[in-house]
Amino acid sequence: MRVLVVAAPLLGHVFPLMPLALALRDAGHDVVVATGGEALRVRDSGLTVEDVVPANVRFGPIALRIVLAHPLVARRELRGSGGLDFVSRLFGAVGNAMHGPLRELAERWRPDIVVHEPLAAAGSALGVPSVVHDVSLFDGVDLTAAVGARMRADVRSPTTILRTAPKSLVEFLGGRPLRFVPYSGDGEVPRWLAEPSGKPRILISRSTAPGPGSARMMDAVTKVARDVDAEFVLVRPARTEGLPENVKAVGWVPIPRVLPFCDGIVHHGGAGTLLGALAAGVPQLVEPGPGDRTVHARTLSGRGAGLAARPEDVTPALLTRLVEDSKLQRAAGEVRDEISGMPSPAEVAQQWESFARWGRGS
């Protein structure tokens, strides 16, 4: 069976789709990934990857146009209370740009079914049965519909949806469960980071997507780190000079391979990092912010598997709690076990023929 996997041109959008895409290939299906921009890095996976995003498509200018045209929408988005208004406009514009090249690819390659992440709604506008692959704690059906409503193309309802969110955090109607398996491509891991530390180790990561204030949380942790009895590891910091003795810096590392050797992680609230830490059972400190990040922070802290705090609220006591609070550790372990009990990508891939039959109306 020919399976077309579609993602918006961002690493955080294509990475969560890769475990299923690779499992489908291993199950004997013909798989092509369609994306663009920085997400083309997944060519390293060995899968065929097609660039379907015109070179002039850039998120910064698109976002700026929305801000200028809809300042109230932008203000709510920055507060984390924008719902789907801003994000649907942003990815609707990207989807319009992707639709033409994506349709040309579909006409040439003739996939039997399309799998796409919710914000790549163009995947459901090709006249081919489609499956939405959830990648966050938001309902992928609602996200796809909101983005599709902003597009010129005819975005149809998907055949079904694969649900990666553990039910103890959020539960949606319909769809099929799929275990979230972290993926971040290849990369070297320093030897010292692939073994336990003599002290609690806290990883500090920031978004792979550019944006204002992306390093604020990392800076806030660094300022108070010397007063915490722990080892801190900054991933891709903006600066490395003048760090306290208990703070180390690394470049790009595959975080899923590092998390088993960490006692806590501090990050921006992106879905991939959040779900990856949950899958590893590692307590999290999440910064509420624009887009889905405030919802993610509140949902995680509500479950008890992590903490939510803004950079100005980071203290030595808060970071100590992250690695010493047994309630956080227990809740994180419960969610890890819940995720591990969901059907794996390999198991879903073995049942893949049924998806195509549903799409043909049988």
Side-chain angles (χ1 to χ4, degrees):
M1 181 180 293
R2 294 185 175 186
V3 185
L4 181 61
V5 178
V6 183
L10 293 170
L11 286 175
H13 290 239
V14 71
F15 275 172
L17 306 184
M18 294 305 293
L20 179 61
L22 291 166
L24 288 168
R25 179 201 62 187
D26 293 344
H29 299 288
D30 196 0
V31 179
V32 169
V33 178
T35 186
E38 64 178 9
L40 296 174
R41 275 183 49 186
V42 295
R43 284 174 172 155
D44 294 342
S45 68
L47 292 174
T48 299
V49 180
E50 295 279 351
D51 188 350
V52 294
V53 181
N56 63 348
V57 174
R58 292 183 296 159
F59 281 90
I62 296 173
L64 180 59
R65 289 196 294 270
I66 298 172
V67 169
L68 295 176
H70 306 280
L72 294 180
V73 171
R75 195 173 303 164
R76 288 194 296 269
E77 178 72 4
L78 287 173
R79 291 199 303 261
S81 60
L84 304 183
D85 202 351
F86 186 92
V87 72
S88 64
R89 295 174 190 273
L90 178 64
F91 285 92
V94 174
N96 280 330
M98 291 176 63
H99 181 250
L102 193 58
R103 178 167 286 280
E104 291 178 7
L105 171 61
E107 290 175 350
R108 168 167 43 90
W109 191 61
R110 298 191 177 279
D112 299 296
I113 196 164
V114 177
V115 179
H116 68 87
E117 50 98 359
L119 297 180
S124 280
L126 302 176
V128 178
S130 61
V131 173
V132 171
H133 186 313
D134 257 349
V135 294
S136 73
L137 302 184
F138 278 73
D139 190 335
V141 172
D142 291 345
L143 280 171
T144 300
V147 174
R150 303 284 185 187
M151 292 176 56
R152 294 186 293 271
D154 180 18
V155 177
R156 301 178 182 179
S157 297
T159 297
T160 191
I161 182 166
L162 297 171
R163 303 289 193 184
T164 56
K167 289 185 177 181
S168 69
L169 269 79
V170 60
E171 188 168 3
F172 304 114
L173 294 175
R176 285 186 150 196
L178 171 67
R179 183 190 309 165
F180 180 86
V181 175
Y183 180 94
S184 60
D186 294 326
E188 293 294 328
V189 177
R191 184 173 180 178
W192 60 267
L193 193 51
E195 55 190 22
S197 170
K199 293 184 176 182
R201 175 180 288 152
I202 300 176
L203 199 69
I204 302 93
S205 176
R206 60 189 178 93
S207 176
T208 56
S214 62
R216 288 180 63 232
M217 181 59 90
M218 191 172 283
D219 290 342
V221 171
T222 303
K223 287 179 182 178
V224 301
R226 70 177 71 251
D227 297 319
V228 182
D229 187 21
E231 176 190 82
F232 293 85
V233 181
L234 310 181
V235 181
R236 297 180 300 110
R239 62 180 183 84
T240 58
E241 67 279 0
L243 297 177
E245 289 185 2
N246 62 335
V247 178
K248 300 179 180 180
V250 294
W252 179 275
V253 292
I255 288 179
R257 287 168 51 193
V258 173
L259 278 173
F261 304 102
C262 297
D263 301 279
I265 180 171
V266 180
H267 63 93
H268 62 292
T273 306
L274 181 139
L275 287 168
L278 286 172
V282 176
Q284 308 173 53
L285 172 58
V286 177
E287 176 189 5
D292 57 6
R293 299 172 187 180
T294 293
V295 171
H296 285 166
R298 289 174 178 169
T299 303
L300 178 76
S301 60
R303 176 61 179 83
L307 305 169
R310 298 187 182 280
E312 57 268 26
D313 299 321
V314 172
T315 63
L318 185 69
L319 295 172
T320 300
R321 182 187 171 194
L322 177 64
V323 293
E324 292 187 357
D325 190 327
S326 60
K327 292 182 179 179
L328 290 178
Q329 295 166 356
R330 183 167 57 252
E334 290 170 354
V335 178
R336 174 199 60 212
D337 294 343
E338 181 184 359
I339 292 173
S340 67
M342 298 169 71
S344 69
E347 291 169 326
V348 171
Q350 291 298 326
Q351 304 169 5
W352 197 251
E353 296 290 342
S354 62
F355 286 83
R357 286 198 296 271
W358 295 337
R360 295 187 184 107
S362 61

